[in-house]
C-alpha cells in the first residue's frame, strides 16, 4: 500500500477533521486490538439516561490524539524542543491509553477480572503491540509508564489537566447534551507551556482552568455518577458476579467463549499471559449484552431478574443521602424481600445493598495544576485563583446510597 493511502483523515463531530500523522499510527489504528474499541461504549450504561451517549472508546482515543497534536504544536511554537520521535511516542501513548478497557469496564473490573485494572491491561496490550511492531513502541511505553526523563510528557497523558480529561469532558458533554461539561480545550492547550521540564498554564489561562475543574465536578454529578447510570452499573456488577458464581458451581450458562473463559477462571495480573490477552481482546459490549439477553430466560431467579432489569431498563430504586445509611434499614428490606420470593437473605443481598460514591474535582494530594505567574513564579492553581469555589472543588464530597426493588417502596 502506498504511503499516501495511509495518511487518512477522520471527520469528528467535536473537532472537525483529525489527521493520521504517520504510517505507524495508521497501522496501530487498523490493528484488531484498537478496532475493538469501536465495540466498547465510552460511557458504559449511561445511554439508559442519556440516549445520545452511544459514542465509543475509539472516538475518544482519536480525539485525545488530535488534542496531543495540538499540544505539541503549541509547545514547539513556544520554544519547547520536542523531537519527531518524542512526538510520535506521545501520540501513540495517548492513542493507546485506554486500549485495556473491557466491556462496561468498571463493572467488569469489579466482578469478572477482579484483580486486574484497565491500566495494567493497556500496558500488556502495548507490550504485545511493541513485539508485533519490532520495538517501535518502546519510547511510547517508557513515556506511558512515567520512566522517561522528560516529566511534562507524562503530564500531557496522565495528570489533573491532561488530553484524556480534556477530550472526555468535551465529548461526553456533546453526546449526553449536558452542556455544563463543555470545556474550552483549545484555549487550555494554547495556554500551556513547559518550565524546568514541568507542564504549566500561563496566568491568563487561569479562568479556563477554573471552568475546566467546575465542568469536571458537574459532569461527575450529572453524568458519570448520575443515580440511574450508577444503579445500572451496580446491577451489571451483580449480574456478572452471580453468573460467575453459578458457572463455578457447574451451571452451564449460554454466553460467548471468551466471556465463559473469564467466568470459569480466576484471573490475576501474574497469570495474564498472551493467551489470556488474546481472549480478552475478543471481549466487547456485544458479549455482555447478548449474554444478558440469554440470561433473562435462565432458571436462576437472581440472574434472570437482574438481567431483565438492564435489558428492559426497569431498574432497582436508588436513594442517595449525605448521611451514612443505617445497616438496619437494608437488613429489614432484605428480610421482607427474602420472605416474599422464598430466597435466602444472602441472595436478597443481590437486590438490596448499600455503598458510597465520591467526587473530587481537584485533588491536593495529586500533582498540582501549576500556574505560571507574570513574574515567572509558579503557584498551585488553588492558591493562584481568586475564586473561593476552587477551594471547595478540592474538597472530597461523599454521598451514600441504598438500592432496593421498587415493590418494596
Amino acid at each position: 500500500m502506498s504511503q499516501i493511502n495511509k495518511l487518512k483523515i477522520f471527520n469528528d463531530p467535536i473537532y472537525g477533521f483529525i489527521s493520521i500523522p504517520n504510517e505507524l499510527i495508521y497501522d496501530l489504528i487498523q490493528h484488531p486490538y484498537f478496532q475493538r474499541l469501536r465495540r466498547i461504549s465510552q460511557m458504559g450504561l449511561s445511554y439508559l439516561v442519556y440516549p445520545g451517549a452511544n459514542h465509543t472508546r475509539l472516538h475518544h482515543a482519536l480525539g485525545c490524539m488530535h488534542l496531543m497534536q495540538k499540544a505539541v504544536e503549541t509547545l514547539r511554537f513556544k520554544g519547547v524542543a520536542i523531537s519527531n520521535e518524542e512526538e510520535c511516542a506521545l501520540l501513540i501513548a495517548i492513542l493507546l491509553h485506554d486500549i485495556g478497557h473491557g466491556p462496561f469496564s468498571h463493572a467488569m473490573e469489579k466482578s469478572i477480572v477482579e484483580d486486574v485494572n484497565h491500566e495494567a491491561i493497556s500496558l500488556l496490550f502495548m507490550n504485545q503491540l511493541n513485539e508485533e511492531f519490532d520495538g517501535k513502541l518502546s519510547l511510547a511505553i517508557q513515556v506511558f509508564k512515567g520512566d522517561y526523563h522528560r516529566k511534562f510528557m507524562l503530564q500531557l497523558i496522565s495528570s489533573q489537566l491532561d488530553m484524556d480529561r480534556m477530550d472526555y469532558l468535551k465529548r461526553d458533554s456533546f453526546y449526553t447534551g449536558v452542556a455544563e461539561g463543555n470545556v474550552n480545550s483549545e484555549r487550555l492547550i494554547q495556554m500551556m507551556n513547559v518550565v524546568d521540564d514541568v507542564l504549566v498554564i500561563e496566568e491568563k489561562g487561569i479562568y479556563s482552568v477554573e471552568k475546566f475543574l467546575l465542568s469536571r465536578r458537574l459532569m461527575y454529578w450529572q453524568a458519570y455518577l448520575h443515580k440511574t447510570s450508577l444503579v445500572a452499573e451496580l446491577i451489571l456488577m451483580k449480574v456478572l458476579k452471580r453468573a460467575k458464581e453459578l458457572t463455578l458451581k457447574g451451571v452451564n450458562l449460554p454466553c460467548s467463549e471468551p466471556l465463559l473463559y473469564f467466568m470459569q477462571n480466576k484471573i490475576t495480573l501474574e497469570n495474564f499471559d498472551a493467551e489470556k490477552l488474546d481472549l480478552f481482546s475478543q471481549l466487547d459490549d456485544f458479549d455482555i449484552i447478548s449474554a444478558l439477553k440469554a440470561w433473562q430466560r435462565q432458571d436462576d431467579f437472581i440472574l434472570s431478574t437482574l438481567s431483565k432489569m438492564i435489558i428492559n431498563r426497569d431498574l432497582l430504586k436508588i436513594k442517595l443521602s449525605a448521611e451514612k445509611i443505617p445497616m438496619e434499614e437494608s437488613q429489614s428490606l432484605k428480610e421482607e424481600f427474602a420472605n416474599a420470593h422464598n430466597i435466602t437473605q444472602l441472595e436478597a443481598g443481590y437486590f438490596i445493598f448499600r455503598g458510597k460514591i465520591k467526587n473530587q474535582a481537584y485533588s491536593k494530594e495529586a500533582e498540582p495544576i501549576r500556574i505560571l505567574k507574570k513574574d515567572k513564579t509558579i503557584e498551585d492553581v488553588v492558591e493562584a485563583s481568586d475564586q473561593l469555589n476552587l477551594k471547595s472543588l478540592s474538597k472530597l464530597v461523599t454521598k451514600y446510597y441504598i438500592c432496593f426493588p421498587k415493590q418494596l417502596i
Side-chain angles (χ1 to χ4, degrees), residues 29-45:
I29 289 170
Q30 278 293 85
H31 195 281
Y33 287 169
F34 190 80
Q35 288 296 315
R36 177 185 78 100
L37 298 180
R38 288 186 187 276
R39 303 185 300 280
I40 293 189
S41 163
Q42 171 69 13
M43 289 184 71
L45 290 164

Side-chain angles (χ1 to χ4, degrees), residues 84-124:
N84 290 342
E85 289 76 22
E86 287 171 330
E87 178 184 18
C88 190
L90 281 168
L91 295 177
I92 291 169
I94 197 72
L95 186 73
L96 303 181
H97 78 283
D98 268 352
I99 201 167
H101 270 290
F104 304 107
S105 180
H106 304 293
M108 282 277 295
E109 282 173 27
K110 292 189 175 77
S111 54
I112 289 185
V113 282
E114 291 155 85
D115 300 320
V116 196
N117 62 28
H118 68 268
E119 290 90 354
I121 300 174
S122 289
L123 200 52
L124 292 170

Side-chain angles (χ1 to χ4, degrees), residues 186-282:
E186 276 186 22
R187 177 158 173 84
L188 282 164
I189 288 171
Q190 287 297 325
M191 294 298 118
M192 285 182 168
N193 209 332
V194 172
V195 175
D196 296 334
D197 224 35
V198 170
L199 195 66
V200 294
I201 302 289
E202 290 162 7
E203 190 175 10
K204 56 182 182 265
I206 195 163
Y207 300 120
S208 302
V209 176
E210 288 172 3
K211 167 74 167 61
F212 167 84
L213 293 172
L214 189 59
S215 298
R216 187 162 185 264
R217 182 197 184 91
L218 295 174
M219 276 300 281
Y220 267 83
W221 287 134
Q222 281 188 258
Y224 312 128
L225 296 175
H226 185 289
K227 63 179 192 172
T228 308
S229 308
L230 177 65
V231 76
E233 189 170 286
L234 291 165
I235 294 168
L236 181 58
M237 276 159 55
K238 299 284 182 190
V239 172
L240 294 171
K241 188 176 165 218
R242 182 62 173 178
K244 187 160 187 166
E245 200 177 283
L246 293 171
T247 303
L248 293 174
K249 282 181 184 168
V251 179
N252 195 5
L253 294 178
C255 66
S256 69
E257 278 181 41
L259 183 56
L260 185 62
Y261 179 85
F262 282 95
M263 291 201 303
Q264 285 175 334
N265 297 280
K266 185 158 176 63
I267 309 299
T268 63
L269 198 51
E270 286 68 46
N271 68 15
F272 212 109
D273 53 22
E275 181 200 357
K276 290 183 184 64
L277 192 67
D278 184 57
L279 279 162
F280 186 85
S281 76
Q282 294 170 47

